[in-house]
């Protein structure tokens, strides 16, 4: 372990995310519980926990975890997107839309984030906003064919 807790937490999060990629969600969730206990003051740890909860279908836990992350780093667009995803899965569409709009306003020049925001707008039936986000992602990274495809398809 290094002397920097944030670096240690970052490495631990990467290990947990590898478990997720390998489809080992129960192990990833267990490892993440240990991380949130060890690093309760780091938003990145709560974001990983929220992502795992979403993948496991536990929208309520994901919402609580996303909000813990946002309490630590208010207004961070990727965390607002996580909150919007959890709210949407919980059936709270107006609140999900508000969080998604806030994520969009703060997403800046992050093409990946714009793409994810556009995808959720599309899933929620907000096609004009989805198209705008897809177009922005394509402008930011014109070499990514997926972004251009999504824009052309109107998401």
């Amino acid at each position: 372990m290094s002397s920097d807790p944030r670096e240690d937490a970052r490495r631990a999060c990467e290990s947990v995310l590898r478990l997720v990629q390998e489809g080992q969600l129960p192990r990833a969730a267990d490892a993440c519980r240990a991380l949130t206990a060890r690093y309760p003051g780091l938003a990145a740890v709560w974001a990983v926990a929220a992502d795992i909860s979403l993948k496991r279908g536990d929208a309520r836990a994901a919402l609580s975890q996303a909000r813990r992350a946002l309490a630590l780093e208010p207004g961070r667009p990727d965390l607002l997107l996580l909150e919007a995803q959890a709210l949407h899965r919980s059936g709270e569409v107006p609140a999900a839309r508000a969080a998604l709009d806030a994520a969009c306003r703060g997403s800046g020049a992050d093409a990946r984030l714009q793409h994810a925001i556009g995808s959720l707008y599309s899933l929620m039936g907000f096609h004009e906003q989805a198209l705008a986000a897809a177009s922005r992602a394509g402008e930011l990274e014109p070499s990514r064919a997926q972004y251009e495809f999504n824009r052309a398809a109107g998401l």
Side-chain angles (χ1 to χ4, degrees), residues 2-131:
S2 76
S3 61
D4 180 4
R6 288 186 185 274
E7 181 60 24
D8 292 342
R10 185 190 62 76
R11 287 186 185 128
C13 285
E14 287 174 358
S15 294
V16 169
L17 290 171
R18 276 192 295 277
L19 291 172
V20 171
Q21 289 172 345
E22 294 167 2
Q24 298 182 46
L25 288 178
R27 282 188 60 206
D30 290 342
C32 202
R33 271 190 290 283
L35 277 180
T36 57
R38 184 168 184 179
Y39 304 106
L42 295 179
V45 172
W46 291 105
V48 170
D51 186 52
I52 291 169
S53 292
L54 282 170
K55 285 177 173 49
R56 295 185 82 188
D58 190 346
R60 288 287 167 205
L63 181 56
S64 174
Q65 293 154 340
R67 286 183 169 161
R68 290 279 305 256
L70 278 164
L72 294 165
E73 293 189 30
R76 209 172 101 186
D78 59 322
L79 301 178
L80 288 164
L81 175 60
L82 269 174
E83 180 185 39
Q85 290 169 325
L87 286 163
H88 176 253
R89 295 233 188 122
S90 297
E92 299 178 39
V93 175
R97 170 70 191 268
L100 192 55
D101 288 347
C104 189
R105 283 190 302 275
S107 62
D110 185 334
R112 180 198 58 79
L113 187 56
Q114 283 285 338
H115 181 258
I117 288 167
S119 295
L120 186 55
Y121 272 133
S122 180
L123 182 65
M124 293 173 63
F126 300 112
H127 299 292
E128 184 177 317
Q129 293 79 6
L131 182 56

